[in-house]
Amino acid sequence: MAALRAAKQAMRREIKKRVAALDDQEKLRQSRVISQRWVVLAPLGGLTRPWTPSPLPRTPGAPPPSAPGNPCVARQPVEPKPDLLFKHPKYARCERIAVFLSMHDEVRTEEIIQDLFKHGKTCFMPKYLTQGTSNHMDMVKLTSMEDMMSLPLTSWNIRQPAADDNTREEALETG
């Protein structure tokens, strides 16, 4: 277990370093790619599974995602499906969608949230609660972009309702 924990910590450090090397323009470009492309279908072990392309740059000298020996992705070249997230039938059918509010160094989700409100969908966002040594997360309703911008920032620079704001609909309580 200790080896797994150390490997996860090393991977997190590497990802953080790679993301920090991206400028804001590149982060925004990659965020738009993610919101405009839904999935790439990648055959893995004879099965076809959805795979979302990583927004991180490839390590110089590392095998491309489709190379043999890369166990995480396709074993043969794949072409992106032209479906847009916003046009995908599952997205179109959903009336209630939970989306995280992005931090500066994460994939930007504002375009997705704007689309939810534009199409009259109900948007839920995480609200993290810490009580002693216990952490808890609820998915609470966000009513508009203005509502989002009015939320206070946490110490992690994440917008979320104040801890004592119990006025918001909670997704699991209402279905």
Side-chain angles (χ1 to χ4, degrees), residues 47-150:
L47 300 174
T48 300
R49 297 183 182 170
W51 171 71
T52 303
S54 169
L56 298 175
R58 231 176 10 103
T59 303
S66 59
N70 187 337
C72 299
V73 295
R75 301 202 190 312
Q76 56 185 279
V78 293
E79 293 297 320
K81 291 184 63 145
D83 298 336
L84 301 178
L85 168 66
F86 302 141
K87 302 288 185 196
H88 195 276
K90 287 183 180 182
Y91 179 86
R93 281 193 308 267
C94 285
E95 296 174 11
R96 300 161 55 93
I97 298 178
V99 179
F100 71 92
L101 303 186
S102 51
M103 293 177 23
H104 177 72
D105 61 347
E106 295 178 323
V107 169
R108 308 292 197 277
T109 57
E110 291 85 0
E111 189 174 351
I112 296 169
I113 295 168
Q114 287 172 346
D115 189 78
L116 292 173
F117 291 128
K118 177 180 171 185
H119 291 96
K121 297 178 183 288
T122 303
C123 179
F124 292 91
M125 55 163 283
K127 178 180 177 183
Y128 302 96
L129 305 167
T130 303
Q131 297 171 345
T133 60
S134 174
N135 293 324
H136 177 78
M137 180 178 68
D138 288 328
M139 298 306 287
V140 297
K141 186 174 181 179
L142 188 62
T143 60
S144 66
M145 292 302 290
E146 293 78 20
D147 181 24
M148 181 182 82
M149 296 309 295
S150 72

Side-chain angles (χ1 to χ4, degrees), residues 9-21 56-57:
Q9 288 174 344
M11 182 176 66
R12 287 185 183 116
R13 281 192 302 272
E14 178 63 23
I15 289 172
K16 189 173 185 174
K17 187 170 69 173
R18 289 183 184 194
V19 171
L56 298 175

Side-chain angles (χ1 to χ4, degrees), residues 22-64:
L22 299 175
D23 63 24
D24 286 343
Q25 185 86 9
E26 180 61 11
K27 288 177 192 172
L28 183 58
R29 184 194 70 76
Q30 291 187 23
S31 297
R32 287 192 175 134
V33 167
I34 290 168
S35 66
Q36 293 173 2
R37 296 243 186 240
W38 186 62
V39 296
V40 174
L41 292 180
L44 287 172
L47 300 174
T48 300
R49 297 183 182 170
W51 171 71
T52 303
S54 169
L56 298 175
R58 231 176 10 103
T59 303

